[in-house]
Amino acid sequence: AALRTPPTALPWSQVRIESNGRAVVIPRAQAGRLPALVTSLLAAPTDDGERAAPGSLRLELGQGDDAAGVLERVGERWRWTPVREGQQGRWLRPEPELAAALDAEILRLLGR
């Protein structure tokens, strides 16, 4: 159960997106489709992965000044690292359509 935290139980009010040396902080209310896409991503199938692999894109979900967790894209998969005690990180394998929608929305938000 600790591996599969229900996405609806993850409160976040802002996201910090980092990619290619660029970073933006966006309130959840202004993040367009990203909240729904993150919820779908967190419900994606999981598999094993190497913890030390570097990520090419980083989404830090926050609730006020507190971090809720970090999503990092590593190749075709995403690494979820929760900040809260008692929760474990996991590797997520989104469907290609979800991955493409996430990429498009993240690029849109980075370009704001």
Side-chain angles (χ1 to χ4, degrees):
L3 291 175
R4 300 289 284 164
T5 301
T8 56
L10 181 67
W12 59 279
S13 59
Q14 66 185 25
V15 60
R16 177 181 171 86
I17 303 171
E18 298 176 19
S19 179
N20 296 322
R22 179 150 163 68
V24 295
V25 177
I26 300 170
R28 182 177 180 150
Q30 296 175 10
R33 296 180 54 215
L34 191 63
L37 294 169
V38 165
T39 297
S40 295
L41 177 61
L42 290 171
T46 63
D47 62 15
D48 294 328
E50 185 175 324
R51 292 277 168 213
S56 62
L57 173 69
R58 179 182 168 95
L59 303 178
E60 183 178 313
L61 305 175
Q63 181 72 17
D65 291 335
D66 298 325
V70 175
L71 284 162
E72 294 174 284
R73 185 172 58 206
V74 180
E76 300 298 316
R77 297 181 303 166
W78 287 79
R79 177 175 43 216
W80 167 243
T81 307
V83 174
R84 298 190 178 145
E85 288 186 35
Q87 294 182 356
Q88 293 181 309
R90 62 188 194 269
W91 286 90
L92 306 165
R93 285 182 292 111
E95 296 292 328
E97 297 81 16
L98 174 57
L102 270 164
D103 286 345
E105 187 65 2
I106 289 165
L107 284 175
R108 184 187 75 79
L109 293 169
L110 277 171
R112 291 172 64 163

